[in-house]
Amino acid sequence: MTARLQRVAGLVARGLSNRKIAEDLVLSLRTVEGPVDHILTKLGFTSRAQIATWAARQSG
């Protein structure tokens, strides 16, 4: 997974909304929605909670 996707996954794990992630990374909301959807698809997940769990395991 790319560094950008890992960063987005980490922000999802911190509980940030797509809008807040966009603000933090100085991106448009639509630009953030793509990577979040890509992470869900790439990992076969259906929820942001699954991303959060995955990200926590990666960093631990």
Side-chain angles (χ1 to χ4, degrees):
M1 187 172 303
T2 67
R4 173 172 249 171
L5 290 178
Q6 289 177 347
R7 171 101 190 239
V8 170
L11 295 172
V12 168
R14 289 183 33 211
L16 275 62
S17 67
N18 285 357
R19 184 171 307 282
K20 184 61 179 153
I21 292 170
E23 290 173 8
D24 284 4
L25 298 179
V26 192
L27 300 169
S28 73
L29 177 58
R30 188 159 169 99
T31 301
V32 170
E33 290 170 347
V36 171
D37 288 341
H38 185 73
I39 292 165
L40 289 168
T41 301
K42 183 175 183 93
L43 298 176
F45 295 159
T46 57
S47 73
R48 294 170 72 91
Q50 289 174 300
I51 294 173
T53 301
W54 177 85
R57 289 182 180 153
Q58 297 304 305
S59 65

